[in-house]
Structure formats: structure tokens, C-alpha cells
Amino acid sequence: MAEDSPKRRKANFNEAETEVLIEQVLKHEQLLFAAGPGRASAGQKRKVWELIRHKVNPVAACPRDVEDLKKRWRDLKRRDRSKLCRLSQGCGPPAPPALGLLLAPEELPPSAAPPA
């Protein structure tokens, strides 16, 4: 009987993977996340996620499956929401000054805008 090696975690998403994921999800956002009577079926959504997977995997550090992509998308949304909350509403600890470099100028609240 062969010894089982400990399960290894996948590599972190690299910048290229993240960019392709964001680009593709935003391109298909209406189909994936629309609510109401015109929304897509589960089968249609599954096909779109598979299409996104086929676009991400050529630039991926390791093969990604659909669940990896969905989790990464949820994490990106959560991180952006918390970042915007800290900047615009003063939620939690104050944001470090360098955080403004990650957002476009129009996303910054007036109090955090760099001096002209």
C-alpha cells in the first residue's frame, strides 16, 4: 500500500489570473448574477463558469476548477467592499495612506483625495 502524502494547497492566484477572472466575470455579470424573471438557469451559469475557467487556466500557475474561481470572486468582492467601507464611511480602523493608491481617484471619498 502506497503512503498517502499530506494534501498540498494550491498556489495563490497570480496577477494575470486575477485580471482574467475579473475581466470575464464582469463581461458575463448580467448572466451570472441577474435577479428576477430574466435570470439565467443553473445550467447556463455553469456553462459560463466553465468558459471562464477555460480562459483563466492558460495563464494559471496551477489548474483551477470552477469552485476555485467562484471562491476567488467572492473573496475579491468582500475585500473591495470592506476597503470601500473603511474609506468612505470610516468603518473599522483608518485605512493606511497607501491604500488610496489601489483605488481610482473617483472611488476615493473627498476627505481622502490627494492634495492638488
Side-chain angles (χ1 to χ4, degrees):
M1 183 168 129
E3 275 188 44
D4 292 325
S5 61
K7 186 174 178 178
R8 297 185 57 110
R9 64 191 270 293
K10 290 185 178 181
N12 291 342
F13 274 72
N14 62 35
E15 190 174 325
E17 288 173 274
T18 302
E19 286 179 15
V20 172
L21 175 63
I22 292 170
E23 172 188 313
Q24 291 299 311
V25 169
L26 292 178
K27 180 178 176 183
H28 300 287
E29 185 175 23
Q30 186 64 32
L31 196 70
L32 291 171
F33 307 115
R39 70 175 187 233
S41 69
Q44 290 171 317
K45 290 179 184 183
R46 189 173 26 256
K47 287 179 184 177
V48 171
W49 279 109
E50 283 295 327
L51 173 79
I52 293 171
R53 183 178 66 87
H54 286 293
K55 300 274 185 169
V56 170
N57 275 339
V59 296
C62 64
R64 305 291 183 184
D65 57 24
V66 170
E67 288 307 311
D68 295 333
L69 299 176
K70 287 180 178 181
K71 182 179 185 314
R72 178 66 174 163
W73 179 251
R74 283 190 305 268
D75 290 347
L76 288 169
K77 284 193 326 184
R78 179 185 45 79
R79 188 179 69 194
D80 283 350
R81 259 188 248 126
S82 65
K83 181 177 18 175
L84 287 174
C85 178
R86 281 194 313 269
L87 286 173
S88 64
Q89 299 171 357
C91 300
L99 191 56
L101 299 175
L102 300 175
L103 294 174
E106 60 273 6
E107 294 176 317
L108 289 171
S111 62

